[in-house]
């Protein structure tokens, strides 16, 4: 893999871009403070906009690293971020990245996350040189898996009591797509 860092990626409806502290209000309002959005995530809802600002400040520093991939999902029609998609794990020795994502409840079931993940998959296969892209979801959150399936990812199995999130220990279903699947 040739790491390129978080580059701006545009789709029909979205601008996937670096986040900054200037996005704190939109991030806090649109998803980070919503317990329904964070229900299956590993971090709790933000209790104040100050929490969001601190996190964005840390992420801004990470952007200096070429292997940092943390995109804000900006909906072009409103000009503000409505979610994130990022690399939450990687193994350079096998050219693999693990993707995680979340989006504000107001934008669920509109194909937005599918559009974002599809663009990210293209970026990692065509520009970074990945061979494998993987993701997983709590089995109680099947809509996340629907996004993965729509992007061509295949179910590789379910692991029992293999992760922890805001509900506690959970089962997870794992998905992946290989470069040869993506042609």
């Amino acid at each position: 893999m040739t790491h390129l860092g978080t580059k701006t990626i545009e789709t029909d409806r979205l601008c996937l871009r670096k986040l900054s502290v200037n996005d704190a209000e939109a991030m806090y309002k649109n998803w980070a403070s919503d317990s329904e959005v964070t229900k299956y995530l590993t971090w709790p809802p933000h209790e104040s906009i100050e929490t969001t600002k601190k996190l964005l400040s840390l992420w801004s520093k990470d952007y200096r690293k070429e292997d940092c991939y943390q995109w804000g999902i900006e909906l072009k029609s409103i000009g503000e971020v409505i979610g994130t998609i990022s690399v939450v794990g990687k193994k350079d020795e096998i050219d693999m990245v693990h993707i995680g994502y979340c989006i504000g409840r107001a934008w669920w079931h509109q194909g937005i996350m599918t559009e974002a993940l599809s663009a990210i998959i293209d970026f990692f296969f065509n520009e970074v040189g990945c061979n494998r892209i993987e993701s997983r979801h709590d089995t109680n959150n099947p809509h996340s898996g629907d996004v993965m399936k729509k992007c061509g990812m295949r179910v590789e199995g379910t692991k029992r009591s293999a992760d922890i999130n805001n509900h506690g220990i959970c089962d997870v279903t794992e998905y992946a797509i290989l470069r040869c699947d993506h042609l």
Side-chain angles (χ1 to χ4, degrees), residues 5-59:
T6 307
K7 293 187 171 251
T8 300
I9 301 169
E10 297 222 19
T11 68
D12 290 341
R13 296 183 289 175
L14 310 174
C15 179
L16 307 178
R17 61 168 177 80
K18 292 178 180 177
L19 291 155
S20 75
V21 176
N22 294 334
D23 294 309
E25 185 177 327
M27 180 175 175
Y28 181 77
K29 171 186 73 164
N30 290 337
W31 78 93
S33 63
D34 187 338
S35 61
E36 277 299 301
V37 173
T38 62
K39 190 180 204 176
Y40 300 108
L41 301 178
T42 58
W43 48 271
H46 292 185
E47 293 182 9
S48 72
I49 197 165
E50 292 309 313
T51 302
T52 307
K53 286 179 180 176
K54 287 177 187 173
L55 179 62
L56 289 171
S57 180
L58 287 172
W59 285 353

Side-chain angles (χ1 to χ4, degrees), residues 13-14 75 77-78 82 103-116 143 146-147 150:
R13 296 183 289 175
L14 310 174
L75 187 60
S77 63
I78 63 171
I82 60 169
I103 190 168
R105 194 179 347 170
W107 299 278
W108 289 356
H109 311 296
Q110 296 177 31
I112 292 170
M113 191 53 75
T114 301
E115 187 173 326
H143 294 297
D146 292 343
V147 169
K150 288 176 188 172

